[in-house]
Amino acid sequence: MRNFWVIIILFTFFNCTQAFCIGDTTLLKEIQITEFLRNKLFFKSIQKIDSSILVSYQNRSLTDLLNEQTLVTIKNYGAGGIATISLRGTNASHTKLIWNGISLNSPMLGLFDYSTFPVFSNSKISIISGGQSAEFGAGAIGGVINVDDEADYGSRFKLSFSQQMGSFGRSGNSFNLQFGNNKFQSSTFLNRLIAKNDFLFVDYQKFSRPKVKLENASTIQEGVRQSFDWRPNSKRIFSLNSWFQYNNRNLAPQIGNANNVSTIVDRSFRNSLEYREIINSKVNIQTNIGYVRDFLLFKNRLKLADSIAELLSSQSISEIYTLSSKLNFKPSDQYNFQFIAEGFKESAKIKEYGGLKARNRYSIAVSVSRYFFNKGIISANARKEFNDLASPFIGSIHSEFNLFGKRGIKLLNSVSTNYALPTLNDLYWKPGGNINLNAEKSFNVDIALEKKIILNNISINNSITAYWSKVNDWILWQPSLEYNGNWSPQNLKRVRTSGIESTNEIKWTRSKDSFSFRLNYSYTQAINTKSTTENDQSVGKQLIYIPLNSGLAQIKYQLKTFQIRYGTNYYGYRFTTSDHSDFLPSYVLSQINFQKSFGYKKYQIEIDAGIYNLFNKTYQNLPDRAQPGRNFLIQFNLKYK
């Protein structure tokens, strides 16, 4: 396996050597570098978050943003608790979070806690649904959440400070310093958030159903992000992004179990070093080195009268090393080739493993695209990964074609295969880990229609996507006789997901104001079609916590520097037991935001005020997890340019 590291290093060194050997004496036209090699996606179901909306979510969690602005399924364990997401009915571990080119998913659990990711207004955030293969590698069966922080080379000096205050003891602030010129940029972000989360909720476990105050739900989040971007000329870019995040959280107890006062402390150190270069008009390269280290301390505690008993203290450390190199070759206007070589080293140390456990993964991939001028594109991708398990060959074919001319309807198709490796917990947790697990394997089909209409000041965008996916060897933890009733993972299920996604937006724009209306809908079936256990009551039924129907509607009006936005989200009922004997009812949440900005010389003041759960609905995202009622948040942003 060491030979693959040698191959990757040589491949990277060859690309870089070729780039520097050419020198500046070659006569090339001036080219402005922007996103010339950042995964140029063809057919994908992509939703990009509008930059004006990100202002309202600055220093709030990525959970809040995705929950209110997209149709992803959120599993929120209450105030201060973890939050995971599901795309198209798949597991939380089937969605990859990519930050500046590196994956942040835990190698132990395979997922990411989105409640610990603070949103910054300069980030570019997109949701890519569907099975991704050659572009993002193994694991992205459900899709990808992609976050990029990019430098503004037009800026000389920017200074901004944000202060927010909200309900339930919430206060936070952030600071951003950016300086540089058209060749070098430095950005420093500092953020801090404190929240008591001491809201009232109805305790239906008690006979009189009293309103009680939530306890042990406070949280502290602090972080610093530093980026350096150097563009020595129009053909080369070096980018270094480092991020340290600290979270200290009390975990809100379940309703009826107020004596549980557990805590989580985690520290994360994330780094991404990227080099991009245009060698000539036909060839460009990208090399990325990543390092992620996560520390987590979980304490299961029980309150007994005036004392606290510690039942469990578990500490874990995980690390991920990443090295990837990509070469993009475009011999003509009709063809494009991309070659990818990647290597990963994942390791984790926890008492329940019995020591340090690690694994190496290496992969090679190729992508070929054929352009048909204004008619469409066909792209084919293939990837092979090498690791300790038997990993299948995966690939995809995508196409985009314009029907009935440029102003007609765009038809998009995609067929892809992918797989997800067992996590380190699946393999090595004691008791229960199963080193004989197979990888989860998926087959995905998508078809979509898109239509854009522009009539004077009115633009209309409509799209509808139908998808079908099958996942074999779905890994499920359940009690095992082999481990005296302790839980153990097995390849037990075959799951079929299918559904329809519809996005619709109409926008009316004039010289001083604009109005837009957005309506999105998702129908998601996630059915367990096969099980290896006898009398499995879940066969033929919807997976738990996956709503069949969900949707959102949003109205936005902007007049010069004033904006008002009203949104409503609908979440259908979700079964909480695999035999469908119990479920959580559907609910509708609404929020309204007001934004206003003022300018004076080089200063700009932005005020954003929001009311969330506007109609004070009582609801549950997960069983017995209290959620806040109507709450307020106001934010002041001061910027100096």
Side-chain angles (χ1 to χ4, degrees), residues 200-220:
L200 296 175
F201 69 95
V202 176
D203 189 347
Y204 59 84
Q205 298 280 8
K206 296 181 180 180
F207 177 75
S208 60
R209 298 174 65 90
K211 281 191 173 183
V212 298
K213 182 179 291 187
L214 186 66
E215 298 181 355
N216 196 68
S218 62
T219 181
I220 299 175

Side-chain angles (χ1 to χ4, degrees), residues 199-431:
F199 54 84
L200 296 175
F201 69 95
V202 176
D203 189 347
Y204 59 84
Q205 298 280 8
K206 296 181 180 180
F207 177 75
S208 60
R209 298 174 65 90
K211 281 191 173 183
V212 298
K213 182 179 291 187
L214 186 66
E215 298 181 355
N216 196 68
S218 62
T219 181
I220 299 175
Q221 294 186 1
E222 298 173 326
V224 55
R225 289 163 64 175
Q226 176 64 54
S227 65
F228 296 107
D229 294 89
W230 180 41
R231 184 175 63 176
N233 53 50
S234 61
K235 300 185 292 296
R236 299 187 180 98
I237 286 181
F238 296 86
S239 298
L240 173 63
N241 291 277
S242 294
W243 176 16
F244 176 79
Q245 184 71 27
Y246 167 79
N247 307 290
N248 190 340
R249 295 175 286 170
N250 292 328
L251 301 181
Q254 289 182 283
I255 298 175
N257 190 20
N259 291 331
N260 192 316
V261 288
S262 299
T263 63
I264 287 182
V265 176
D266 56 85
R267 297 189 295 269
S268 300
F269 185 44
R270 300 150 182 162
N271 301 271
S272 172
L273 176 62
E274 184 178 77
Y275 171 71
R276 288 176 283 161
E277 177 172 355
I278 296 178
I279 296 178
N280 55 43
S281 60
K282 296 182 179 180
V283 179
N284 56 58
I285 61 171
Q286 175 182 327
T287 298
N288 188 289
I289 300 174
Y291 172 69
V292 178
R293 186 181 191 273
D294 292 321
F295 166 88
L296 186 144
L297 175 61
F298 168 71
K299 292 185 177 182
N300 186 7
R301 307 187 308 173
L302 195 64
K303 187 177 181 180
L304 302 173
D306 296 329
S307 62
I308 295 178
E310 188 173 291
L311 306 180
L312 172 68
S313 179
S314 178
Q315 176 178 303
S316 65
I317 298 175
S318 65
E319 292 181 311
I320 304 176
Y321 295 87
T322 305
L323 176 62
S324 66
S325 189
K326 303 177 183 180
L327 184 147
N328 204 61
F329 174 54
K330 191 173 184 178
S332 67
D333 292 337
Q334 291 181 294
Y335 290 94
N336 187 81
F337 298 86
Q338 187 177 82
F339 305 93
I340 304 172
E342 295 180 327
F344 305 89
K345 181 178 181 180
E346 303 171 330
S347 65
K349 185 177 182 180
I350 187 173
K351 179 178 63 177
E352 284 75 11
Y353 287 180
L356 178 68
K357 299 297 182 181
R359 67 180 173 190
N360 297 325
R361 298 164 46 208
Y362 318 94
S363 63
I364 54 175
V366 62
S367 172
V368 181
S369 303
R370 171 71 160 88
Y371 300 81
F372 296 90
F373 300 102
N374 295 324
K375 296 181 179 179
I377 302 169
I378 293 179
S379 175
N381 309 279
R383 176 181 287 264
K384 176 60 180 176
E385 182 169 301
F386 306 88
N387 51 64
D388 297 334
L389 296 176
S391 300
F393 172 89
I394 60 176
S396 60
I397 298 177
H398 312 294
S399 68
E400 293 184 13
F401 284 97
N402 296 313
L403 305 180
F404 316 117
K406 291 183 180 180
R407 298 183 179 181
I409 299 174
K410 182 179 287 187
L411 173 65
L412 309 100
N413 298 275
S414 175
V415 178
S416 63
T417 59
N418 208 331
Y419 69 95
L421 293 173
T423 67
L424 296 184
N425 276 10
D426 292 335
L427 297 172
Y428 303 116
W429 189 271
K430 295 181 180 180

